[in-house]
Amino acid sequence: NAGVTQTPKFQVLKTGQSMTLQCAQDMNHNSMYWYRQDPGMGLRLIYYSASEGTTDKGEVPNGYNVSRLNKREFSLRLESAAPSQTSVYFCASRTGLAGRDTQYFGPGTRLTVL
Amino acid sequence: RKEVEQDPGPFNVPEGATVAFNCTYSNSASQSFFWYRQDCRKEPKLLMSVYSSGNEDGRFTAQLNRASQYISLLIRDSKLSDSATYLCVVNRITDKLIFGTGTRLQVFP
């Protein structure tokens, strides 16, 4: 049981390049999330998916797109990277079970945009 | 005003000390409350949920005060391994969790 996995762990991009961050969970959770974490800002929600086939914008969606490929996988795409997107990106999935509601995070992707 | 506010710290305490963190939330419709722990350069992990009646897990006690809209975390007999950032998390009747920016705790020998 791997939990939530993310790839890559580290990435350096040049301004204008594109890339996709991959996320997968093997816990059969319906809800999945993408966050970014910056110093002093805490975790900010980029996009989330309440169930397979649905996605919704979070607090900071501009510059990003997502795909909920199936129940396991939720990817985040940067179409044209900007230095302001330098951050640590976390994917998460959530049980949503009453009394045992827990959000599990992947290990994160450290992205630098030059 | 942020929806969830925490004192960033750091709180520097000696081993064995008792330390308490508070967190305030602005939306009275908030339904669920949690404390997460995040170690340096790692992902956040659930420490404990916070229930209306208060709850305890070993050395950790969480309290909720709905009237004043704050939650608290008390750590007794601090260990070096408790050094981390503690994130306050709030949920309304949505699928989204709102994270505070965290309170940093440093326990020294």
Side-chain angles (χ1 to χ4, degrees):
Chain A
N1 201 341
V4 181
T5 56
Q6 288 183 237
T7 56
K9 286 191 166 55
F10 300 93
Q11 184 71 49
V12 178
L13 292 177
K14 294 181 180 178
T15 297
Q17 286 185 315
S18 62
M19 77 161 296
T20 300
L21 281 64
Q22 306 287 354
C23 173
Q25 52 95 6
D26 61 2
M27 296 174 283
N28 203 36
H29 293 164
N30 284 320
S31 301
M32 296 185 73
Y33 306 79
W34 276 105
Y35 295 90
R36 60 178 288 173
Q37 187 173 37
D38 303 291
M41 301 292 289
L43 281 158
R44 292 185 292 169
L45 183 64
I46 305 171
Y47 271 93
Y48 69 105
S49 170
S51 62
E52 184 180 352
T54 68
T55 60
D56 286 286
K57 295 179 180 179
E59 186 184 351
V60 288
N62 292 344
Y64 306 94
N65 285 301
V66 290
S67 294
R68 184 73 184 267
L69 303 168
N70 46 54
K71 193 169 187 179
R72 289 188 64 248
E73 298 171 288
F74 188 36
S75 62
L76 179 73
R77 183 161 178 83
L78 287 70
E79 290 290 352
S80 179
S84 61
Q85 294 177 304
T86 293
S87 188
V88 180
Y89 291 85
F90 289 104
C91 176
S93 70
R94 184 176 175 191
T95 62
L97 298 173
R100 288 185 288 133
D101 191 7
T102 306
Q103 195 162 89
Y104 295 90
F105 286 82
T109 295
R110 282 160 179 76
L111 176 66
T112 301
V113 183
L114 303 175
Chain B
R1 184 187 171 190
K2 291 181 183 176
E3 188 162 349
V4 178
E5 298 212 54
Q6 297 182 248
D7 181 343
F11 285 63
N12 296 304
V13 302
E15 272 186 293
T18 295
V19 62
F21 310 134
N22 282 340
C23 161
T24 59
Y25 60 94
S26 60
N27 194 318
S28 59
S30 299
Q31 295 286 318
S32 308
F33 308 88
F34 310 89
W35 283 103
Y36 276 71
R37 171 194 168 126
Q38 186 172 25
D39 294 296
C40 187
R41 301 182 70 78
K42 297 285 190 181
E43 71 273 24
K45 293 183 180 177
L46 179 68
L47 177 66
M48 58 197 304
S49 302
V50 186
Y51 303 118
S52 296
S53 55
N55 47 301
E56 191 173 304
D57 183 3
R59 298 181 293 109
F60 299 84
T61 300
Q63 297 278 355
L64 167 63
N65 185 317
R66 285 191 185 271
S68 301
Q69 295 183 199
Y70 76 83
I71 67 174
S72 64
L73 177 68
L74 181 78
I75 305 175
R76 290 181 299 278
D77 189 22
S78 297
K79 312 291 184 191
L80 295 176
S81 57
D82 293 334
S83 298
T85 296
Y86 292 84
L87 305 174
C88 172
V89 185
V90 169
N91 174 233
R92 288 173 268 134
I93 310 178
T94 69
D95 208 36
K96 294 183 284 188
L97 300 181
I98 311 297
F99 285 78
T101 53
T103 297
R104 194 153 67 89
L105 172 66
Q106 184 67 49
V107 182
F108 58 88

